[in-house]
Amino acid sequence: MDYLLAHPGAAIACAGILGLIVGSFLNVVILRLPARLLHAWRMQSREMLEIDEVDGDAAPPGIVREPSHCPHCKHPLGALENIPLLSWLALRGRCRHCHAPISIQYPLVELLTGVCSAVIVWKFGVGWQAGAGLALTWTLVALAGIDLRTQLLPDQMTLPLLWLGLLLSLLPLFVASRASVIGAALGYLSLWSVYWLFRLATGKEGMGYGDFKLLAALGAWMGPFALLPIVLLSSFIGAIVGGAFLAVRGHDRATPIPFGPFIAAAGWVWFIAGDQLGLLYRQFFGLA
C-alpha cells in the first residue's frame, strides 16, 4: 500500500489490471443473474399457484460456484482460456473446442471495466474514495450490461447501490447526509413523475421502475444538484446512440431501447468530471 501511495502510476496500472479481472466476473453476472432471477420468479409463481414443477426445469448455473464454460458446447474453460481480454484475442474470438464465435461482449466489458477502474484511481488516488468509486463503477457496468441484454435493472443491484450511497454520506465520503437523502428522493420522484405523466398522456410505459431506482442511487452518491445534469446528459447520449442503433438495425422509433445504460454512463461521467463539466456549463451560459 505504501508503494502504491508513493507511485500513482503503479496504482493506476494495478487498478486497470484489477478492473480487467473484475470485468471477467461481471460478464458472468450479466449473463447469469437475469436467468437466475427468472428461474426464481417462475418457481415462486408456481408455488403461489400450486403448480407442480416441470421436469428438466433445473436452476441455471450459479454466479460464483459453477466454472465458466462455452455457451455453445458447454466445455469448461481452462485457466489459459480465462485470461481477461488476452484469451479472446488469442483465440480470435472463437471457442478452442467447437470453434463457435465468442461474443464480443466479453472483451468489451473487460476492457471497459479496466479503463474505468484506472480512471477512478487516477481521479481519487489510493484511498476510501477510490474503493467506493470502484464499487460504484463495477455495479454500473453490470447494470448497464444487464439492461442492454434484458431491459431489466435488478433490485438486487440498484437497491444495495442506493443504500451504500446513503451510508457513505454518514462519513461523509462524497456528499453530506442531507444532500444524499434529498438526492435519492428527488432522483426517484423525478423519473417516477415523468413515467406517470407519459403514461397518462399516451397510455404507454416510457420507462421501467428500475430507472427510477438507479437515478435515486446516483442521487444518493452525488446529491440533488447532479440529477439534472445526469438526466440531460443521459438523454443526449441516448438520443445519439439510440438513434444510430435504430438507423443501423433498420428499426422504427417504436422499438424499445433501454434507458438504464445511458443513465449509468452519464452518472459515471458526472461522478468523475462533474466539477469540470459544471464549470463549463456556467461559463457557457455566463453564470461563472
Side-chain angles (χ1 to χ4, degrees):
M1 185 61 69
D2 292 338
Y3 178 83
L4 294 179
L5 288 171
H7 299 82
I12 294 172
C14 288
I17 296 173
L18 176 62
L20 290 174
I21 297 172
V22 173
S24 181
F25 173 72
L26 293 182
N27 272 314
V28 177
V29 175
I30 292 169
L31 292 172
R32 296 186 183 181
L33 180 59
R36 299 281 298 183
L37 293 176
L38 181 60
H39 176 78
W41 297 334
R42 187 181 293 115
M43 293 299 101
Q44 292 169 8
S45 299
R46 287 177 176 169
E47 182 179 354
M48 293 178 61
L49 297 173
E50 298 182 353
I51 299 176
D52 295 334
E53 294 186 16
V54 179
D55 293 338
D57 193 10
I63 296 175
V64 177
R65 293 185 179 180
E66 282 79 357
S68 298
H69 57 268
C70 173
H72 301 282
C73 67
K74 309 301 180 183
H75 189 90
L77 301 183
L80 295 179
E81 297 170 286
N82 262 325
I83 302 175
L85 192 59
L86 297 180
S87 291
W88 190 90
L89 293 174
L91 295 171
R92 298 181 180 180
R94 292 189 175 275
C95 174
R96 185 167 63 90
H97 305 278
C98 68
H99 305 292
I102 303 173
S103 174
I104 197 174
Q105 170 195 312
Y106 294 95
L108 288 181
V109 169
E110 293 165 355
L111 181 60
L112 175 64
T113 309
V115 171
C116 290
S117 299
V119 172
I120 287 290
V121 174
W122 167 79
K123 169 70 175 181
F124 296 106
V126 178
W128 288 108
Q129 282 191 320
L134 289 174
L136 173 65
T137 298
W138 299 340
T139 306
L140 291 178
V141 170
L143 284 169
I146 291 173
D147 201 18
L148 279 173
R149 290 180 59 89
T150 64
Q151 296 187 19
L152 292 173
L153 289 171
D155 288 350
Q156 287 79 354
M157 299 184 72
T158 56
L159 295 184
L161 189 66
L162 167 63
W163 286 111
L164 180 58
L166 292 172
L167 290 174
L168 291 177
S169 71
L170 297 176
L171 298 176
L173 200 59
F174 299 107
V175 295
S177 294
R178 179 183 178 88
S180 181
V181 172
I182 295 175
L186 289 180
Y188 187 92
L189 291 174
S190 58
L191 290 188
W192 179 87
S193 301
V194 172
Y195 167 88
W196 279 107
L197 288 173
F198 183 83
R199 184 168 183 175
L200 292 173
T202 65
K204 302 178 181 178
E205 296 184 355
M207 63 181 69
Y209 277 67
D211 297 324
F212 316 162
K213 299 167 189 175
L214 177 56
L215 189 60
L218 294 177
W221 279 75
M222 290 171 256
F225 296 107
L227 294 174
L228 181 59
I230 289 175
V231 171
L232 294 177
L233 185 58
S234 61
S235 300
F236 177 73
I237 297 173
I240 295 177
V241 177
F245 173 82
L246 293 178
V248 170
R249 293 295 184 92
H251 299 311
D252 57 33
R253 294 186 177 182
T255 302
I257 297 178
F259 192 45
F262 306 126
I263 298 177
W268 189 84
V269 169
W270 192 262
F271 182 70
I272 291 296
D275 294 340
Q276 294 83 353
L277 293 176
L279 178 60
L280 291 175
Y281 174 84
R282 292 191 294 272
Q283 290 177 343
F284 182 81
F285 288 99
L287 302 176

